[in-house]
Structures are given as C-alpha cells and as structure tokens.
Amino acid sequence: MKIGIAGLGLIGGSLALALRERHEVTAYDTDERARAAAKADGIRIVSRLDELVPADAVLVATPISAIVPALEQLAARADGAVLLDTGSLKRAVADYAARAPVGARIVGGHPMAGTTSAGFSAADAELFRGRAFLLVPTARSDDGAMAIAGTIVRDVGAAVTVCSADVHDRAMARLVAGPLATAAALAVVGAQAEPLVGAAGPGFRDSTRLAETPADLAMELLFGNSADAAAAIASIIEALIQLRRSLERGDRDYVRSFLAAARSVRGELA
C-alpha cells in the first residue's frame, strides 16, 4: 500500500520505520528538524501535509490538538484514502467524522504503546510489537476502511481491538490520565523524602515513571477529556481514602483483600 504519515514524533516515526519494509511510506511533519532526521533515516519526506495524498491510507500522528485540523485538511483531498489517527482521545475524532464530507473514510486509532521519550530520535520499529492497537469505527468507517486499518495494525506487529469512542475515552481516563496524575502526585509527595529521595529504589522509580511525560502531552491528556479524567482521579482518591481508613482502624482483612485484588489485576497484564 501507499501510506502517508502526518507527524514524525515517537508514534509517527515508529510507524514509518515499522511500515517501510512492506509499504511505500511518505511522511510529513511541521518541524523541519523532524523532517530532516527522518529523511536521513531513509524516509521519503514531503514539504506539505496535502502532499501525502493520493494514498491508500494516511496515518495522522500529530499532537492531539492538531488531529482534527489535519483530518479536515486531508479529507478535502483524500480521494478515497483511509484516514487513521493515532491519538489518545477519540470523541473529537468521532464528532468530526459525523460532519465530515460524505466520501471521507475515517477510522480512529490508538496504539497502546509508547515511552516517556519524544521525537523522531526515540522512534522504534518494534514499539508496537505484541501491543494492543485500538480501532474506533466512526460514521465514516466502511468495511473496507476498517480492513485497511486492520492490515496496517497487524503489519506493525500489533493486535487489533475494536471499541466505540465513548468506551475508549472512559477507559483511557482510567488507564492513561489516572495513572499519569497518580505518578505526578507520587513524585510531588516523594520530594518530602529529602534528603534521601535520590536514593529511592525501583519501586518509587517505576511508580513515578509517567511523571516524566512531556508537559504539553500531559496537559492534552488531562484537559482533552477533563470530565472523565477528573472522575478517574476521584476514584483513585476514594480507593486511597478507604485504604487509609482501614489502616487507621487496624482492619487487616480489608487491606489484605485490597492488595490481593490489586495483585490480581496486575497479574492479568503479564
């Protein structure tokens, strides 16, 4: 297939590297340095977003706030190309698709992979291997568009999981925004361990890894779906309150069951 990629950060760059052996890949980024780095790595680069079409598919891997504007620009010239975004939130994409031109073919996508590093220099062709890649049908997703999106997902080594935009965003508030907020809170509280915070072991370091998320991305994840993110944070706070109260009253049975439930959920991720 002929595949265009808009955005050459960690996700877009990794997609380009993962797909170029099987497909004809062309990419674009607003950042001249990102374009130069990708070109030096053998990726074909164009100088304008609309030069990514005609194509069989265009993957929109821009920052969240730029996804819908990019889809709007591409949809006007797509001529049948499947437009697949890779953002962490889906309601805005679904809302745009509902009002997009009738001939547009739009599928929401979200690879459940990443690191706290950013930019093309962090791109890795193996980033998606063995990971879930969520596909979200929209009002402009026909069977052929879903099939093409599925092929792309499998060709980067990921596994297809299909869900609705509402289910996706509610879940991501608990699987992405909540953990991000919790990691940030743990890091802030951990500062109270001075002067020994620098000696923290792997437990604290692993638990606060998401606090390294670039601030712009973290803000988009929290404010892009603020109601669900706030609800997720409230649920975390309530769980901690219950745990604190059990400690205060010496309720070992509750604490043991709480820890067992947590261990069980964690075990399912292995």
Side-chain angles (χ1 to χ4, degrees), residues 220-242:
E220 286 192 323
L221 292 171
L222 293 169
F223 281 100
N225 186 21
S226 59
D228 282 339
I233 292 169
S235 295
I236 293 167
I237 292 171
E238 179 59 27
L240 290 172
I241 288 172
Q242 293 299 324

Side-chain angles (χ1 to χ4, degrees), residues 5 61 77 148 156 165 177 222 249:
I5 297 177
R77 304 171 60 91
I148 288 174
V156 300
L222 293 169
R249 65 176 179 261

Side-chain angles (χ1 to χ4, degrees), residues 26 37 63 106 124 143 203 210 212 219 225 242 246 251 264 266:
T26 303
I106 300 170
D124 179 1
D143 290 345
L210 289 177
E212 294 182 336
M219 293 288 283
N225 186 21
Q242 293 299 324
S246 297
D251 188 346
S264 176
R266 174 63 180 175

Side-chain angles (χ1 to χ4, degrees), residues 163-211:
C163 63
S164 71
D166 285 343
V167 167
H168 175 279
D169 282 10
R170 283 197 303 270
M172 289 310 107
R174 285 152 181 80
L175 300 178
V176 178
L180 171 61
T182 303
L186 285 172
V188 170
V189 171
Q192 298 171 11
E194 286 288 8
L196 296 181
V197 66
F204 181 77
R205 294 176 184 274
D206 291 348
S207 298
T208 57
R209 182 182 65 84
L210 289 177

Side-chain angles (χ1 to χ4, degrees), residues 17-130:
L17 296 178
L19 291 167
R20 66 178 174 180
E21 297 301 323
R22 297 190 182 192
H23 303 281
E24 180 184 341
V25 173
T26 303
Y28 168 75
D29 195 287
T30 56
D31 188 329
E32 184 177 351
R33 291 170 298 180
R35 296 198 302 270
K39 184 175 182 179
D41 209 348
I43 304 296
R44 181 175 180 268
I45 299 297
V46 293
S47 58
R48 298 196 318 269
L49 177 66
D50 58 12
E51 291 180 318
L52 293 176
V53 288
D56 296 296
V58 178
L59 314 185
V60 179
T62 64
I64 295 171
S65 60
I67 289 173
V68 170
L71 290 174
E72 289 175 331
Q73 186 173 344
L74 288 164
R77 304 171 60 91
D79 193 25
V82 174
L83 306 181
L84 171 65
D85 88 285
T86 64
S88 301
L89 300 172
K90 285 290 158 278
R91 287 196 189 103
V93 172
D95 289 346
Y96 167 67
R99 65 177 189 274
V102 174
R105 306 172 76 197
I106 300 170
V107 179
H110 183 193
M112 298 301 290
T115 71
T116 53
S117 299
F120 185 81
S121 61
D124 179 1
E126 297 298 311
L127 183 67
F128 312 105
R129 190 159 303 281

